Amino acid sequence: MPSGHENDDEQVLDSIGDAANPGTMTVCPDETLVDALDPTRALIVGGEHRRGGAGLFDVEDPADRRVIAAVADADRRDAIAAVDAAQAAFAGWRALPPRSRSEILHRAHALMLRDADDLATLVTRENGKSFADARGEVVYAAEFFRWFAEEAVRTGGDFGPSPAGGTRTLVTHRPVGVAALVTPWNFPAAMATRKIAPALAAGCTVVLKPAAETPLTAIAVVRLLAEAGVPDGVVNLVPSTDAAGVVGAWLADARVRKISFTGSTRVGQLLLRQAADRVVNTSMELGGNAPFVVTADADLDAAVEGAMVAKFRGGGQACTAANRFYVHTDVVAEFTARFGARVEALTVGPADTGAQIGPLISGAAVDRVTALVADAVATGARVAATAAVPESKGWFLAPTVLADVPAGAAILDEEIFGPVAPIVAWSDEEDLLRQVNGTEMGLAAYVYAGDLGRALRLAERIEAGMVGVNRGLVSDPAAPFGGMKQSGIGREGARVGLEEFCETQFFSVDWPV
């Protein structure tokens, strides 16, 4: 069954889905929100707020490139201190009854909703996304606490006679131990809670390294967990600009038995090699290159609506974002015109203006996406539509629709991570599937078709861990999030998300006949 967050999530995304109505939600940045976090003492180790061994690092607002906080910068010694605290807290947290852990997670859910506007403001300040997007993320993030609060008390196991007789097999599950969690900048609230919640529900303690671009939201979430009743040492926060040093120290520490990472495939490959040295339990949610398929009989109104959400949520800076649009030749002209009109109506600017699309995370990101667009145009694509971009010091990039994109264009092979939608026309289904599956990535995909049976048959042949069928959203705490091929290992969310933080153990019990 779907979880309760879906309707809330879609409501706050309406300002993207309905380009003619930019919505009324705006944010008034309040410096006291940042100051209250005491970012110069952002390390949270064993419940103590500390300065970092490496000094401080700046966090910038990508909408205007102003420094909004100086944050404690952890070094390898801080990383090991966090493991010390997590290991010391593990026995007590593991022994806590599942019902008690569940009640704490329920309180965390309520506290996140209580502070949803403030958390959304923090997200807009350090990440740049629109307030509607940011608030949608916070509601979604909070739902992981509720979902895993409910899963925490649904203990699994098995019992039965062995086939040969004379014994009974008792199967149980135990927490894996100290878990290292590494999260990206594009969803600073949701990527943290999607890992923290199942780890705590399973009985693990954690050390968390958020992205250096967006540590403030993580600080706020960890503070809320303490307010919810999480004991000192159970959740430890280690912001750092030395990701390799901190994570490397964790992977070399025999007390760390789990790493859960969300980020690029390249970094995931490096971490897998390091994890192999100690055979560390790993979960990897890596890069994507999501196709968005529109058949000749698709409802074009629905397809355009879904495309707006699948492409432009978070300004296209999502691993599940629609990356390549494959539209049947019979409807490609009409789809491009309708889609382009919606894109041209998008408002771009800082979150405090109520704009629907914010900046990219950095100047390097703008340069990379701009180069992909230029290459596509040089190889035969044409710019079918763009939105207006304000004059600003921020890292803004015009939402763009590219038509007539040739099959070999680099923009189809790389994860764009920006508000650009390349459209390819198709007519033969087998050739379509060859193009759709012709990548080492397999995280998400989208299919729009009038015949539901055909849509499902297409979805079954697409090599992706998640497929949105006639909808532009795939993420849900109640569903197993993850990909195939080089898009990752393991799943987050659903019951399997809890099992990722557990070890299976069985007892063979003598049972005389």
Side-chain angles (χ1 to χ4, degrees):
M1 296 180 65
S3 70
H5 88 89
E6 275 194 318
N7 290 335
D8 292 336
D9 198 23
E10 291 180 358
Q11 286 170 7
V12 296
L13 289 174
D14 279 348
S15 67
I16 289 178
D18 184 1
N21 175 18
T24 59
M25 286 189 293
T26 60
V27 56
C28 297
D30 185 349
E31 298 299 335
T32 62
L33 289 177
V34 175
D35 293 341
L37 298 177
D38 192 11
T40 61
R41 295 167 57 88
L43 270 74
I44 303 176
V45 177
E48 178 187 355
H49 295 251
R50 302 184 180 184
R51 297 185 183 277
L56 300 170
F57 65 91
D58 289 338
V59 176
E60 294 185 352
D61 183 339
D64 57 21
R65 298 165 60 184
R66 288 185 302 151
V67 174
I68 56 175
V71 177
D73 197 355
D75 60 16
R76 292 174 67 94
R77 288 178 297 178
D78 296 318
I80 296 304
V83 176
D84 292 341
Q87 181 64 27
F90 176 54
W93 181 251
R94 173 186 179 181
L96 200 66
R99 176 63 67 193
S100 297
R101 296 199 297 266
S102 172
E103 288 169 352
I104 290 172
L105 291 171
H106 273 300
R107 287 197 291 273
H109 169 257
L111 290 171
M112 280 198 75
L113 294 184
R114 180 198 71 184
D115 294 350
D117 286 348
D118 286 349
L119 289 167
T121 298
L122 285 174
V123 172
T124 66
R125 297 296 307 280
E126 61 181 352
N127 171 282
K129 66 177 61 174
S130 73
F131 187 71
D133 259 344
R135 200 176 190 286
E137 179 189 341
V138 171
V139 173
Y140 172 58
E143 188 65 20
F144 284 102
F145 286 138
R146 177 162 63 173
W147 172 261
F148 285 108
E150 294 165 349
E151 287 298 298
V153 297
R154 299 190 180 111
T155 54
D158 200 6
F159 175 80
S162 65
T167 64
R168 291 292 187 270
T169 299
L170 176 64
V171 181
T172 187
H173 304 282
R174 55 192 291 170
V176 67
V178 176
L181 314 179
V182 185
T183 57
W185 53 261
N186 57 335
F187 287 88
M191 296 302 96
T193 63
R194 195 162 76 185
K195 297 179 188 300
I196 294 171
L200 299 192
C204 296
T205 56
V206 307
V207 290
L208 169 66
K209 196 210 82 64
E213 295 88 346
T214 56
L216 302 177
T217 306
I219 300 170
V221 169
V222 174
R223 282 172 168 260
L224 283 182
L225 285 167
E227 184 180 349
V230 173
D232 292 347
V234 171
V235 178
N236 304 278
L237 180 66
V238 187
S240 178
T241 56
D242 183 14
V246 166
V247 180
W250 288 344
L251 287 173
D253 193 314
R255 298 169 297 175
V256 174
R257 295 307 314 155
K258 171 76 181 185
I259 180 167
S260 178
F261 169 77
T262 297
S264 72
T265 296
R266 180 183 61 83
V267 174
Q269 290 167 335
L270 294 173
L271 294 178
L272 282 168
R273 292 188 187 102
Q274 290 178 270
D277 288 341
R278 289 199 304 105
V279 195
V280 176
N281 184 318
T282 61
S283 297
M284 297 279 158
E285 194 269 283
L286 307 177
N289 188 356
F292 189 104
V293 176
V294 181
T295 66
D297 67 338
D299 179 335
L300 290 189
D301 288 335
V304 169
E305 195 71 32
M308 294 298 294
V309 174
K311 176 70 260 184
F312 295 107
R313 184 170 63 125
Q317 298 176 109
C319 55
T320 57
N323 210 60
R324 306 166 284 156
F325 288 77
Y326 295 96
V327 184
H328 195 276
T329 53
D330 290 351
V331 295
V332 67
E334 185 176 358
F335 176 87
T336 302
R338 293 193 195 184
F339 187 36
R342 295 287 293 277
V343 170
E344 289 176 343
L346 286 171
T347 56
V348 181
D352 60 5
T353 67
Q356 298 159 298
I357 303 294
L360 297 192
I361 193 64
S362 67
V366 171
D367 291 344
R368 190 183 64 81
V369 178
T370 300
L372 285 172
V373 172
D375 176 77
V377 171
T379 57
R382 64 180 175 86
V383 176
T386 60
V389 177
E391 291 188 10
S392 169
K393 294 181 179 179
W395 304 120
F396 293 98
L397 184 74
T400 301
V401 177
L402 296 175
D404 305 326
V405 178
I411 200 167
L412 302 176
D413 295 328
E414 297 187 28
E415 189 172 22
I416 300 170
F417 240 63
V420 177
I423 297 177
V424 179
W426 68 275
S427 58
D428 179 79
E429 189 170 296
E430 293 303 317
D431 182 58
L432 165 71
L433 288 165
R434 180 187 60 77
Q435 293 184 66
V436 164
N437 292 330
T439 171
E440 283 302 309
M441 302 302 157
L443 185 62
Y446 305 88
V447 175
Y448 273 81
D451 181 342
L452 181 59
R454 185 186 187 192
L456 290 172
R457 286 190 294 273
L458 273 172
E460 287 183 342
R461 296 185 66 188
I462 292 176
E463 296 169 352
M466 303 172 287
V467 183
V469 178
N470 288 335
R471 68 189 315 262
L473 283 169
V474 294
S475 302
D476 191 306
F481 188 104
M484 300 177 180
K485 300 190 284 190
Q486 290 190 21
S487 284
I489 297 171
R491 293 294 185 270
E492 294 182 316
R495 178 67 189 181
V496 71
L498 181 65
E499 294 169 354
E500 292 280 338
F501 290 90
C502 294
E503 298 277 17
T504 300
Q505 184 177 37
F506 86 91
F507 309 120
S508 182
V509 182
D510 185 53
W511 200 278
V513 177

